[in-house]
Amino acid sequence: MDRVSEIRANLSAVRAHIEAAARACGRDPAEITLVAVSKTKPPEDVRAAYEAGQRDFGENYAQEYAQKRAALADLADLRWHFIGALQSNKAKVVAGCALVHAVDRASVAEALGKRAAAIGMVQEILVELNVGGESSKAGVEPGALVPLVSAIAAQPGLRLRGLMCIPPPIADDEAQRGFFRRLREARDVLRARDAAVELLSMGMSDDYRLAIAEGATHVRVGTAIFGARG
Ligand SMILES: *Cc1c(COP(=O)(O)O)cnc(C)c1O
């Protein structure tokens, strides 16, 4: 199979799995956005997925994102998601994308908020929560979530839309689901105070079906669409 047909077939399979997982728990598949994670893959792969109807793409590294965005600027309705760990000095590159998934510090929120305000936009963001405890280092600790949410609220250039997590992979499905449940519960607490905080970015190639069962609104899938990364 040529590369374009391969990506097209993979996308169809992932979409079918998303639909089945949604229906199995009584959810509308249209509530779930598939973010195709294209990090380390060439722009041609993104273009192939786009031609197969995919519109949301996720990138992890600011430099690579900037290059791919420029190479694919002709695809006007393509939506970029920045899903990688973010440093304040990269806020300039990332501001303007559809959704920043992994804000985990007030300093990053401030840099992003200032940049968004400077270019006259409101940047939608998610906060990355550490649901895995000591086994994962990324994400804000649960005890520091509320102060971070307050720091975000102080930035007119930002709009908090939900939470994201990257739990450590574990073999036991029930335990894996437990991480996703924790993210949903944290989201529910925030949403009770601000209805805009509704999104849940959780689930990757190996576990997006479990994440959908726990309420994922965005699944970030790379390998299952584009194949293993080198
Ligand atoms: C790479 C990456 C993904 C995709 O992982 P796969 O296992 O290839 O599906 C999802 N989310 C984040 C934050 C990533 O860095």
Side-chain angles (χ1 to χ4, degrees):
M1 225 192 299
D2 65 275
R3 185 70 179 141
V4 172
S5 312
E6 189 184 334
I7 290 172
R8 186 178 288 272
N10 288 346
L11 262 175
S12 304
V14 170
R15 288 190 192 122
H17 288 313
I18 289 173
E19 189 157 334
R23 299 226 186 275
C25 59
R27 297 186 62 200
D28 178 358
E31 292 171 7
I32 299 152
T33 300
L34 169 61
V35 179
V37 177
S38 47
K39 64 175 176 225
T40 80
K41 301 294 178 181
E44 294 71 35
D45 281 8
V46 174
R47 199 174 284 279
Y50 179 92
E51 278 160 17
Q54 179 63 27
R55 289 295 177 270
D56 292 87
F57 292 88
E59 283 288 332
N60 285 61
Y61 310 106
Q63 201 57 39
E64 186 184 350
Y65 161 59
Q67 285 166 0
K68 249 174 254 182
R69 183 185 53 190
L72 298 162
D74 57 310
L75 307 179
D77 61 346
L78 185 159
R79 288 180 293 275
W80 288 111
H81 296 246
F82 195 82
I83 65 171
L86 191 55
Q87 266 111 49
S88 305
N89 62 356
K90 299 286 161 38
K92 208 173 181 159
V93 179
V94 165
C97 75
L99 187 62
V100 178
H101 286 234
V103 173
D104 66 354
R105 269 166 293 163
S107 58
V108 166
E110 198 173 302
L112 205 50
K114 287 196 170 132
R115 179 62 190 166
I119 58 176
M121 62 152 330
V122 175
Q123 177 67 56
E124 300 210 332
I125 65 168
L126 307 178
V127 161
E128 180 181 358
L129 185 66
N130 180 355
V131 293
E134 285 176 2
S135 50
S136 59
K137 291 188 188 73
V140 66
E141 293 302 322
L145 177 59
V146 168
L148 177 56
V149 168
S150 303
I152 290 165
Q155 292 293 325
L158 297 182
R159 186 151 192 245
L160 179 63
R161 295 302 317 281
L163 298 177
M164 176 265 207
C165 69
I166 313 173
I170 42 181
D172 179 54
D173 279 2
E174 259 319 298
Q176 193 75 46
R177 270 186 77 152
F179 292 132
F180 297 137
R181 192 170 311 132
R182 243 176 264 171
L183 196 73
R184 174 165 54 80
E185 288 168 355
R187 187 277 318 263
D188 290 347
V189 170
L190 296 177
R191 190 171 56 177
R193 288 195 276 172
D194 178 355
V197 185
E198 58 179 350
L199 306 182
L200 284 174
S201 169
M202 57 189 195
M204 320 199 328
S205 289
D206 287 336
D207 55 17
Y208 64 93
R209 284 163 276 198
L210 296 173
I212 287 169
E214 288 297 339
T217 64
H218 288 66
V219 292
R220 310 177 308 268
V221 178
T223 308
I225 297 170
F226 297 112
R229 289 176 293 272

